[in-house]
Amino acid sequence: MGVHHRIYRWLQANTGKVDLILMLLALVVTVLPYLAMANLAAFALSALLVVPLAWRRTYAWQSGLAVAAAALLNVAFIGEPVPAHVFVLVTVYSLAAYGPRWASLGGLVLALLGGVMFVVRYGITDPFTGGTAPYYLLSLVAVDALVLACWMFGDLVRNRRLTVRALEDRARRLEVERQQERDLAAADERSHIAREMHDIVAHSLSVIITQADGARYASAKDPTIATGTLATIAETGRTSLQDMRRLLGVLRGDEIASTRPLPTLADVETLVDTVRRSGLEVQLQYFGQPRRLMPTGAELTAYRVVQEGLTNVLKHAGPGASAEVRLAWSVRGLELQINDDGRGAAADPATAGSQQGLTGMAERLALYDGTVEAAPRTGGGFSVRAFIPYTES
């Protein structure tokens, strides 16, 4: 940082000290000479014009009022202008720049009237002709023009300061808004990760538990069943571990993990095959053709709806149940149905997890203007119906 920048920053940070120093210099230059000349009246009245300048920014209107009174006393009791009269212009500038609006305009009016009084009191005559009227008029125009120029310059400084302050306030508000947006985004991401964790863990553990229970009973009659069951458990666990690594890789900033493809509608068949190997009979049916491609997030949502529906069947439908997955494309979007003929979640006392999963489905679908309905079926079983409309651009 250069020397002039440091000086500028010091001047801006120490305005009171700067005004005090300038006031003392003005006293030395314009007031003390009258003391040396033993002109006490001019000394005292000039000092009254100069001393209030030390508070021209901190107490603008009080300082202006003091200077106005001192100027009036000078015009009344001093027969000739004193150099300190020039500081009336400084006061006009200070009122416009730092004082309240009423003081700024009031100071301007008083200064213009004071200019008239100054010209009349200390009128200038033409040195060649001795005429007074033209020189009075010229002097009056010059003095009041100078007063008006000082006021306008101060008003420009005032407007600039207010503009800078407004920009700083706006920048602070924008920073607060950006922080709030970051907090909301972080909360949304945490909610998204919680839904992903629930879908991955709940589904995988349901498949693993179902396989382990089935193998425990079946291996008593046929020990070879355990081999195939353990293979399914290992594959399910391995797939879940890969999904968990990908999800946690996003949190770590692992680019390799975070760029692995997310499940889509094309992976629904693989999901159904995995559930079938757990012992649940599942039929997968497709109807219609998509009118247009869906966003990747919408396809992931559809996959998670099917996954959550089948997980609930594994957990709550009971032994001997079967399920049906239907994906139907229409002109409006994709309709999904997961039906089972078991006893349903309503008959299972452990329905808290199911309700949490349904809530997660609704939150996911809401991001794409989708809907979900879940209710027991007439005659037994449970049905989950979801709809995801096309995202129109």
Side-chain angles (χ1 to χ4, degrees):
M1 184 181 295
V3 177
H4 61 286
H5 284 129
R6 287 197 293 268
I7 294 175
Y8 176 78
R9 292 184 61 180
W10 186 88
L11 293 175
Q12 293 297 314
N14 299 274
T15 55
K17 294 179 180 179
V18 172
D19 290 340
L20 179 60
I21 293 171
L22 293 178
M23 184 271 291
L24 294 175
L25 290 175
L27 280 175
V28 172
V29 174
T30 63
V31 179
L32 289 182
Y34 287 107
L35 186 60
M37 293 183 293
N39 190 343
L40 297 181
F43 169 79
L45 294 177
S46 295
L48 291 178
L49 284 170
V50 174
V51 171
L53 296 178
W55 299 278
R56 67 186 185 90
R57 279 187 269 206
T58 53
Y59 298 97
W61 73 267
Q62 294 93 333
S63 174
L65 184 62
V67 170
L72 182 61
L73 290 174
N74 271 269
V75 171
F77 296 105
I78 302 297
E80 60 182 12
V82 295
H85 275 132
V86 73
F87 296 117
V88 173
L89 299 176
V90 176
T91 300
V92 171
Y93 162 84
S94 300
L95 283 173
Y98 308 110
R101 197 63 177 170
W102 63 267
S104 171
L105 297 175
L108 174 62
V109 172
L110 288 177
L112 293 174
L113 294 175
V116 175
M117 294 175 63
F118 182 87
V119 171
V120 172
R121 180 72 170 87
Y122 309 115
I124 303 174
T125 59
D126 187 341
F128 300 103
T129 65
T132 57
Y135 272 75
Y136 271 130
L137 182 59
L138 182 61
S139 300
L140 177 60
V141 171
V143 170
D144 280 353
L146 193 58
V147 169
L148 189 59
C150 291
W151 183 88
M152 291 178 63
F153 185 63
D155 197 57
L156 288 175
V157 172
R158 171 195 181 89
N159 290 335
R160 179 182 179 278
R161 189 180 71 256
L162 294 178
T163 300
V164 171
R165 185 180 301 170
L167 291 175
E168 291 175 348
D169 291 342
R170 183 172 181 271
R172 282 193 292 269
R173 289 196 302 271
L174 289 176
E175 181 60 31
V176 171
E177 291 175 1
R178 281 195 294 268
Q179 184 61 43
Q180 291 175 344
E181 290 175 357
R182 286 193 292 266
D183 293 341
L184 291 174
D188 182 68
E189 184 63 20
R190 286 194 295 270
S191 177
H192 170 73
I193 291 171
R195 289 194 298 265
E196 290 286 333
M197 293 279 284
H198 171 270
D199 292 339
I200 295 170
V201 174
H203 171 74
S204 303
L205 289 180
S206 296
V207 172
I208 290 172
I209 291 170
T210 302
Q211 287 283 297
D213 287 342
R216 182 159 55 89
Y217 294 113
S219 61
K221 296 181 180 179
D222 187 359
T224 59
I225 293 178
T227 303
T229 302
L230 290 175
T232 301
I233 291 175
E235 181 182 353
T236 303
R238 190 177 299 110
T239 302
S240 300
L241 182 60
Q242 290 175 352
D243 288 341
M244 291 290 290
R245 283 176 175 170
R246 177 191 57 77
L247 184 61
L248 296 177
V250 175
L251 297 179
R252 295 195 308 265
D254 186 344
E255 294 184 359
I256 296 177
S258 63
T259 55
R260 291 178 183 171
L262 294 169
T264 64
L265 289 174
D267 298 301
V268 170
E269 189 169 351
T270 303
L271 173 65
V272 171
D273 288 340
T274 302
V275 175
R276 284 172 180 160
R277 287 197 295 271
S278 70
L280 178 66
E281 181 181 347
V282 184
Q283 293 183 358
L284 176 61
Q285 298 178 333
Y286 293 92
F287 298 92
Q289 294 293 328
R291 180 167 60 88
R292 56 178 296 180
L293 293 177
M294 279 191 162
T296 303
E299 292 203 9
L300 173 62
T301 297
Y303 177 91
R304 294 303 188 198
V305 169
V306 175
Q307 186 182 52
E308 180 65 29
L310 292 177
T311 299
N312 288 337
V313 174
L314 287 171
K315 292 166 64 177
H316 305 293
S322 61
E324 177 189 41
V325 177
R326 296 165 55 92
L327 281 77
W329 294 96
S330 68
V331 294
R332 296 178 54 240
L334 173 64
E335 182 178 339
L336 303 107
Q337 290 188 42
I338 302 94
N339 304 321
D340 68 79
D341 57 4
R343 60 184 181 179
D348 196 316
T351 58
S354 175
Q355 291 300 321
Q356 181 181 359
L358 292 174
T359 301
M361 281 191 215
E363 291 176 352
R364 285 179 178 276
L365 289 163
L367 296 176
Y368 298 93
D369 299 324
T371 57
V372 63
E373 297 177 359
R377 300 175 64 194
T378 303
F382 203 78
S383 176
V384 176
R385 296 167 59 93
F387 179 74
I388 305 176
Y390 292 112
T391 301
E392 303 294 345
S393 57

PDB file of all heavy atoms in Angstrom, residues 81-110:
ATOM      1  N   PRO A  81     -13.496  44.112   6.313  1.00  0.00           N
ATOM      2  CA  PRO A  81     -13.540  42.638   6.331  1.00  0.00           C
ATOM      3  C   PRO A  81     -12.250  42.059   6.909  1.00  0.00           C
ATOM      4  O   PRO A  81     -11.168  42.615   6.722  1.00  0.00           O
ATOM      5  CB  PRO A  81     -13.731  42.271   4.861  1.00  0.00           C
ATOM      6  CG  PRO A  81     -13.224  43.434   4.094  1.00  0.00           C
ATOM      7  CD  PRO A  81     -13.509  44.648   4.930  1.00  0.00           C
ATOM      8  N   VAL A  82     -12.398  40.920   7.598  1.00  0.00           N
ATOM      9  CA  VAL A  82     -11.244  40.225   8.160  1.00  0.00           C
ATOM     10  C   VAL A  82     -11.012  38.948   7.338  1.00  0.00           C
ATOM     11  O   VAL A  82     -11.949  38.396   6.759  1.00  0.00           O
ATOM     12  CB  VAL A  82     -11.477  39.891   9.646  1.00  0.00           C
ATOM     13  CG1 VAL A  82     -11.585  41.161  10.474  1.00  0.00           C
ATOM     14  CG2 VAL A  82     -12.719  39.024   9.814  1.00  0.00           C
ATOM     15  N   PRO A  83      -9.770  38.435   7.284  1.00  0.00           N
ATOM     16  CA  PRO A  83      -9.502  37.207   6.509  1.00  0.00           C
ATOM     17  C   PRO A  83     -10.329  36.017   6.960  1.00  0.00           C
ATOM     18  O   PRO A  83     -10.629  35.122   6.156  1.00  0.00           O
ATOM     19  CB  PRO A  83      -8.008  36.977   6.751  1.00  0.00           C
ATOM     20  CG  PRO A  83      -7.458  38.322   7.075  1.00  0.00           C
ATOM     21  CD  PRO A  83      -8.541  39.035   7.813  1.00  0.00           C
ATOM     22  N   ALA A  84     -10.702  35.992   8.238  1.00  0.00           N
ATOM     23  CA  ALA A  84     -11.454  34.839   8.738  1.00  0.00           C
ATOM     24  C   ALA A  84     -12.847  34.730   8.129  1.00  0.00           C
ATOM     25  O   ALA A  84     -13.502  33.689   8.262  1.00  0.00           O
ATOM     26  CB  ALA A  84     -11.564  34.914  10.269  1.00  0.00           C
ATOM     27  N   HIS A  85     -13.305  35.792   7.445  1.00  0.00           N
ATOM     28  CA  HIS A  85     -14.615  35.704   6.787  1.00  0.00           C
ATOM     29  C   HIS A  85     -14.660  34.587   5.739  1.00  0.00           C
ATOM     30  O   HIS A  85     -15.748  34.078   5.426  1.00  0.00           O
ATOM     31  CB  HIS A  85     -14.965  37.046   6.122  1.00  0.00           C
ATOM     32  CG  HIS A  85     -15.601  38.017   7.056  1.00  0.00           C
ATOM     33  ND1 HIS A  85     -15.203  39.341   7.164  1.00  0.00           N
ATOM     34  CD2 HIS A  85     -16.616  37.887   7.960  1.00  0.00           C
ATOM     35  CE1 HIS A  85     -15.938  39.958   8.065  1.00  0.00           C
ATOM     36  NE2 HIS A  85     -16.802  39.084   8.560  1.00  0.00           N
ATOM     37  N   VAL A  86     -13.520  34.196   5.217  1.00  0.00           N
ATOM     38  CA  VAL A  86     -13.500  33.149   4.192  1.00  0.00           C
ATOM     39  C   VAL A  86     -13.995  31.818   4.741  1.00  0.00           C
ATOM     40  O   VAL A  86     -14.486  30.956   3.998  1.00  0.00           O
ATOM     41  CB  VAL A  86     -12.075  33.008   3.609  1.00  0.00           C
ATOM     42  CG1 VAL A  86     -11.139  32.346   4.608  1.00  0.00           C
ATOM     43  CG2 VAL A  86     -12.099  32.204   2.312  1.00  0.00           C
ATOM     44  N   PHE A  87     -13.912  31.651   6.079  1.00  0.00           N
ATOM     45  CA  PHE A  87     -14.322  30.380   6.667  1.00  0.00           C
ATOM     46  C   PHE A  87     -15.840  30.246   6.737  1.00  0.00           C
ATOM     47  O   PHE A  87     -16.347  29.182   7.075  1.00  0.00           O
ATOM     48  CB  PHE A  87     -13.691  30.217   8.047  1.00  0.00           C
ATOM     49  CG  PHE A  87     -12.188  30.143   7.998  1.00  0.00           C
ATOM     50  CD1 PHE A  87     -11.412  31.119   8.608  1.00  0.00           C
ATOM     51  CD2 PHE A  87     -11.561  29.116   7.318  1.00  0.00           C
ATOM     52  CE1 PHE A  87     -10.028  31.054   8.552  1.00  0.00           C
ATOM     53  CE2 PHE A  87     -10.177  29.053   7.261  1.00  0.00           C
ATOM     54  CZ  PHE A  87      -9.401  30.012   7.870  1.00  0.00           C
ATOM     55  N   VAL A  88     -16.554  31.327   6.426  1.00  0.00           N
ATOM     56  CA  VAL A  88     -18.003  31.194   6.269  1.00  0.00           C
ATOM     57  C   VAL A  88     -18.317  30.248   5.113  1.00  0.00           C
ATOM     58  O   VAL A  88     -19.251  29.440   5.168  1.00  0.00           O
ATOM     59  CB  VAL A  88     -18.649  32.574   6.041  1.00  0.00           C
ATOM     60  CG1 VAL A  88     -20.128  32.430   5.698  1.00  0.00           C
ATOM     61  CG2 VAL A  88     -18.475  33.453   7.274  1.00  0.00           C
ATOM     62  N   LEU A  89     -17.505  30.313   4.047  1.00  0.00           N
ATOM     63  CA  LEU A  89     -17.689  29.411   2.912  1.00  0.00           C
ATOM     64  C   LEU A  89     -17.425  27.959   3.316  1.00  0.00           C
ATOM     65  O   LEU A  89     -18.124  27.042   2.866  1.00  0.00           O
ATOM     66  CB  LEU A  89     -16.762  29.820   1.766  1.00  0.00           C
ATOM     67  CG  LEU A  89     -16.975  31.238   1.204  1.00  0.00           C
ATOM     68  CD1 LEU A  89     -15.931  31.544   0.140  1.00  0.00           C
ATOM     69  CD2 LEU A  89     -18.377  31.379   0.634  1.00  0.00           C
ATOM     70  N   VAL A  90     -16.415  27.769   4.177  1.00  0.00           N
ATOM     71  CA  VAL A  90     -16.139  26.412   4.678  1.00  0.00           C
ATOM     72  C   VAL A  90     -17.325  25.892   5.479  1.00  0.00           C
ATOM     73  O   VAL A  90     -17.707  24.718   5.387  1.00  0.00           O
ATOM     74  CB  VAL A  90     -14.854  26.413   5.536  1.00  0.00           C
ATOM     75  CG1 VAL A  90     -14.605  25.028   6.133  1.00  0.00           C
ATOM     76  CG2 VAL A  90     -13.664  26.874   4.715  1.00  0.00           C
ATOM     77  N   THR A  91     -17.943  26.757   6.258  1.00  0.00           N
ATOM     78  CA  THR A  91     -19.105  26.361   7.044  1.00  0.00           C
ATOM     79  C   THR A  91     -20.293  26.003   6.151  1.00  0.00           C
ATOM     80  O   THR A  91     -21.016  25.039   6.415  1.00  0.00           O
ATOM     81  CB  THR A  91     -19.497  27.495   8.004  1.00  0.00           C
ATOM     82  OG1 THR A  91     -18.403  27.768   8.870  1.00  0.00           O
ATOM     83  CG2 THR A  91     -20.714  27.117   8.829  1.00  0.00           C
ATOM     84  N   VAL A  92     -20.507  26.792   5.090  1.00  0.00           N
ATOM     85  CA  VAL A  92     -21.586  26.473   4.145  1.00  0.00           C
ATOM     86  C   VAL A  92     -21.360  25.093   3.535  1.00  0.00           C
ATOM     87  O   VAL A  92     -22.288  24.280   3.426  1.00  0.00           O
ATOM     88  CB  VAL A  92     -21.667  27.554   3.047  1.00  0.00           C
ATOM     89  CG1 VAL A  92     -22.632  27.124   1.944  1.00  0.00           C
ATOM     90  CG2 VAL A  92     -22.106  28.878   3.640  1.00  0.00           C
ATOM     91  N   TYR A  93     -20.132  24.820   3.133  1.00  0.00           N
ATOM     92  CA  TYR A  93     -19.791  23.506   2.583  1.00  0.00           C
ATOM     93  C   TYR A  93     -20.039  22.403   3.615  1.00  0.00           C
ATOM     94  O   TYR A  93     -20.607  21.352   3.301  1.00  0.00           O
ATOM     95  CB  TYR A  93     -18.327  23.496   2.138  1.00  0.00           C
ATOM     96  CG  TYR A  93     -17.759  22.107   1.953  1.00  0.00           C
ATOM     97  CD1 TYR A  93     -17.948  21.408   0.760  1.00  0.00           C
ATOM     98  CD2 TYR A  93     -17.033  21.491   2.974  1.00  0.00           C
ATOM     99  CE1 TYR A  93     -17.433  20.141   0.599  1.00  0.00           C
ATOM    100  CE2 TYR A  93     -16.524  20.222   2.813  1.00  0.00           C
ATOM    101  CZ  TYR A  93     -16.723  19.548   1.628  1.00  0.00           C
ATOM    102  OH  TYR A  93     -16.222  18.278   1.473  1.00  0.00           O
ATOM    103  N   SER A  94     -19.595  22.633   4.851  1.00  0.00           N
ATOM    104  CA  SER A  94     -19.724  21.611   5.896  1.00  0.00           C
ATOM    105  C   SER A  94     -21.183  21.323   6.214  1.00  0.00           C
ATOM    106  O   SER A  94     -21.567  20.164   6.429  1.00  0.00           O
ATOM    107  CB  SER A  94     -18.989  22.060   7.160  1.00  0.00           C
ATOM    108  OG  SER A  94     -17.609  22.261   6.889  1.00  0.00           O
ATOM    109  N   LEU A  95     -22.021  22.377   6.264  1.00  0.00           N
ATOM    110  CA  LEU A  95     -23.444  22.149   6.508  1.00  0.00           C
ATOM    111  C   LEU A  95     -24.074  21.317   5.401  1.00  0.00           C
ATOM    112  O   LEU A  95     -24.896  20.433   5.659  1.00  0.00           O
ATOM    113  CB  LEU A  95     -24.165  23.487   6.639  1.00  0.00           C
ATOM    114  CG  LEU A  95     -23.997  24.242   7.959  1.00  0.00           C
ATOM    115  CD1 LEU A  95     -24.631  25.621   7.855  1.00  0.00           C
ATOM    116  CD2 LEU A  95     -24.623  23.452   9.106  1.00  0.00           C
ATOM    117  N   ALA A  96     -23.710  21.610   4.156  1.00  0.00           N
ATOM    118  CA  ALA A  96     -24.268  20.855   3.031  1.00  0.00           C
ATOM    119  C   ALA A  96     -23.785  19.414   3.025  1.00  0.00           C
ATOM    120  O   ALA A  96     -24.524  18.499   2.650  1.00  0.00           O
ATOM    121  CB  ALA A  96     -23.897  21.542   1.715  1.00  0.00           C
ATOM    122  N   ALA A  97     -22.540  19.207   3.447  1.00  0.00           N
ATOM    123  CA  ALA A  97     -21.957  17.872   3.366  1.00  0.00           C
ATOM    124  C   ALA A  97     -22.290  16.999   4.560  1.00  0.00           C
ATOM    125  O   ALA A  97     -22.501  15.788   4.420  1.00  0.00           O
ATOM    126  CB  ALA A  97     -20.441  17.981   3.203  1.00  0.00           C
ATOM    127  N   TYR A  98     -22.351  17.577   5.768  1.00  0.00           N
ATOM    128  CA  TYR A  98     -22.434  16.769   6.980  1.00  0.00           C
ATOM    129  C   TYR A  98     -23.635  17.083   7.858  1.00  0.00           C
ATOM    130  O   TYR A  98     -23.935  16.301   8.772  1.00  0.00           O
ATOM    131  CB  TYR A  98     -21.161  16.957   7.830  1.00  0.00           C
ATOM    132  CG  TYR A  98     -19.897  16.738   7.042  1.00  0.00           C
ATOM    133  CD1 TYR A  98     -19.054  17.800   6.729  1.00  0.00           C
ATOM    134  CD2 TYR A  98     -19.551  15.469   6.584  1.00  0.00           C
ATOM    135  CE1 TYR A  98     -17.888  17.603   6.009  1.00  0.00           C
ATOM    136  CE2 TYR A  98     -18.390  15.266   5.851  1.00  0.00           C
ATOM    137  CZ  TYR A  98     -17.563  16.337   5.563  1.00  0.00           C
ATOM    138  OH  TYR A  98     -16.431  16.136   4.834  1.00  0.00           O
ATOM    139  N   GLY A  99     -24.302  18.192   7.621  1.00  0.00           N
ATOM    140  CA  GLY A  99     -25.420  18.565   8.483  1.00  0.00           C
ATOM    141  C   GLY A  99     -26.738  17.977   8.014  1.00  0.00           C
ATOM    142  O   GLY A  99     -26.845  17.442   6.899  1.00  0.00           O
ATOM    143  N   PRO A 100     -27.771  18.050   8.850  1.00  0.00           N
ATOM    144  CA  PRO A 100     -29.108  17.620   8.406  1.00  0.00           C
ATOM    145  C   PRO A 100     -29.612  18.521   7.281  1.00  0.00           C
ATOM    146  O   PRO A 100     -29.121  19.633   7.077  1.00  0.00           O
ATOM    147  CB  PRO A 100     -29.960  17.754   9.673  1.00  0.00           C
ATOM    148  CG  PRO A 100     -29.206  18.691  10.553  1.00  0.00           C
ATOM    149  CD  PRO A 100     -27.767  18.529  10.239  1.00  0.00           C
ATOM    150  N   ARG A 101     -30.599  18.018   6.569  1.00  0.00           N
ATOM    151  CA  ARG A 101     -31.053  18.730   5.379  1.00  0.00           C
ATOM    152  C   ARG A 101     -31.574  20.126   5.711  1.00  0.00           C
ATOM    153  O   ARG A 101     -31.315  21.087   4.974  1.00  0.00           O
ATOM    154  CB  ARG A 101     -32.140  17.908   4.677  1.00  0.00           C
ATOM    155  CG  ARG A 101     -32.402  18.319   3.246  1.00  0.00           C
ATOM    156  CD  ARG A 101     -31.174  18.098   2.405  1.00  0.00           C
ATOM    157  NE  ARG A 101     -31.398  18.424   1.010  1.00  0.00           N
ATOM    158  CZ  ARG A 101     -30.439  18.496   0.115  1.00  0.00           C
ATOM    159  NH1 ARG A 101     -29.179  18.254   0.465  1.00  0.00           N
ATOM    160  NH2 ARG A 101     -30.697  18.795  -1.142  1.00  0.00           N
ATOM    161  N   TRP A 102     -32.313  20.248   6.806  1.00  0.00           N
ATOM    162  CA  TRP A 102     -32.850  21.564   7.158  1.00  0.00           C
ATOM    163  C   TRP A 102     -31.727  22.550   7.474  1.00  0.00           C
ATOM    164  O   TRP A 102     -31.809  23.728   7.131  1.00  0.00           O
ATOM    165  CB  TRP A 102     -33.807  21.446   8.334  1.00  0.00           C
ATOM    166  CG  TRP A 102     -33.171  20.960   9.619  1.00  0.00           C
ATOM    167  CD1 TRP A 102     -33.099  19.679  10.059  1.00  0.00           C
ATOM    168  CD2 TRP A 102     -32.515  21.762  10.605  1.00  0.00           C
ATOM    169  NE1 TRP A 102     -32.443  19.610  11.259  1.00  0.00           N
ATOM    170  CE2 TRP A 102     -32.074  20.879  11.631  1.00  0.00           C
ATOM    171  CE3 TRP A 102     -32.265  23.123  10.736  1.00  0.00           C
ATOM    172  CZ2 TRP A 102     -31.390  21.329  12.757  1.00  0.00           C
ATOM    173  CZ3 TRP A 102     -31.585  23.579  11.863  1.00  0.00           C
ATOM    174  CH2 TRP A 102     -31.151  22.684  12.857  1.00  0.00           C
ATOM    175  N   ALA A 103     -30.664  22.066   8.125  1.00  0.00           N
ATOM    176  CA  ALA A 103     -29.542  22.947   8.435  1.00  0.00           C
ATOM    177  C   ALA A 103     -28.783  23.327   7.161  1.00  0.00           C
ATOM    178  O   ALA A 103     -28.303  24.465   7.030  1.00  0.00           O
ATOM    179  CB  ALA A 103     -28.601  22.264   9.424  1.00  0.00           C
ATOM    180  N   SER A 104     -28.713  22.380   6.216  1.00  0.00           N
ATOM    181  CA  SER A 104     -28.025  22.672   4.961  1.00  0.00           C
ATOM    182  C   SER A 104     -28.733  23.786   4.191  1.00  0.00           C
ATOM    183  O   SER A 104     -28.110  24.768   3.765  1.00  0.00           O
ATOM    184  CB  SER A 104     -27.961  21.398   4.105  1.00  0.00           C
ATOM    185  OG  SER A 104     -27.489  21.677   2.807  1.00  0.00           O
ATOM    186  N   LEU A 105     -30.047  23.643   4.026  1.00  0.00           N
ATOM    187  CA  LEU A 105     -30.804  24.659   3.291  1.00  0.00           C
ATOM    188  C   LEU A 105     -30.879  25.980   4.072  1.00  0.00           C
ATOM    189  O   LEU A 105     -30.776  27.067   3.485  1.00  0.00           O
ATOM    190  CB  LEU A 105     -32.213  24.142   2.997  1.00  0.00           C
ATOM    191  CG  LEU A 105     -32.281  22.906   2.088  1.00  0.00           C
ATOM    192  CD1 LEU A 105     -33.711  22.399   1.966  1.00  0.00           C
ATOM    193  CD2 LEU A 105     -31.708  23.228   0.717  1.00  0.00           C
ATOM    194  N   GLY A 106     -31.036  25.875   5.396  1.00  0.00           N
ATOM    195  CA  GLY A 106     -31.064  27.091   6.198  1.00  0.00           C
ATOM    196  C   GLY A 106     -29.739  27.822   6.159  1.00  0.00           C
ATOM    197  O   GLY A 106     -29.688  29.060   6.074  1.00  0.00           O
ATOM    198  N   GLY A 107     -28.643  27.090   6.208  1.00  0.00           N
ATOM    199  CA  GLY A 107     -27.327  27.709   6.104  1.00  0.00           C
ATOM    200  C   GLY A 107     -27.116  28.384   4.770  1.00  0.00           C
ATOM    201  O   GLY A 107     -26.493  29.461   4.692  1.00  0.00           O
ATOM    202  N   LEU A 108     -27.636  27.766   3.695  1.00  0.00           N
ATOM    203  CA  LEU A 108     -27.503  28.373   2.362  1.00  0.00           C
ATOM    204  C   LEU A 108     -28.241  29.712   2.310  1.00  0.00           C
ATOM    205  O   LEU A 108     -27.701  30.720   1.799  1.00  0.00           O
ATOM    206  CB  LEU A 108     -28.052  27.414   1.305  1.00  0.00           C
ATOM    207  CG  LEU A 108     -28.119  27.959  -0.126  1.00  0.00           C
ATOM    208  CD1 LEU A 108     -26.726  28.301  -0.631  1.00  0.00           C
ATOM    209  CD2 LEU A 108     -28.823  26.970  -1.049  1.00  0.00           C
ATOM    210  N   VAL A 109     -29.472  29.732   2.810  1.00  0.00           N
ATOM    211  CA  VAL A 109     -30.249  30.974   2.791  1.00  0.00           C
ATOM    212  C   VAL A 109     -29.556  32.056   3.611  1.00  0.00           C
ATOM    213  O   VAL A 109     -29.415  33.221   3.170  1.00  0.00           O
ATOM    214  CB  VAL A 109     -31.675  30.721   3.311  1.00  0.00           C
ATOM    215  CG1 VAL A 109     -32.426  32.041   3.472  1.00  0.00           C
ATOM    216  CG2 VAL A 109     -32.426  29.791   2.366  1.00  0.00           C
ATOM    217  N   LEU A 110     -29.095  31.692   4.825  1.00  0.00           N
ATOM    218  CA  LEU A 110     -28.415  32.679   5.672  1.00  0.00           C
ATOM    219  C   LEU A 110     -27.130  33.183   5.020  1.00  0.00           C
ATOM    220  O   LEU A 110     -26.792  34.373   5.107  1.00  0.00           O
ATOM    221  CB  LEU A 110     -28.099  32.067   7.040  1.00  0.00           C
ATOM    222  CG  LEU A 110     -29.290  31.841   7.980  1.00  0.00           C
ATOM    223  CD1 LEU A 110     -28.834  31.172   9.261  1.00  0.00           C
ATOM    224  CD2 LEU A 110     -29.977  33.171   8.287  1.00  0.00           C
TER     225      LEU A 110
END
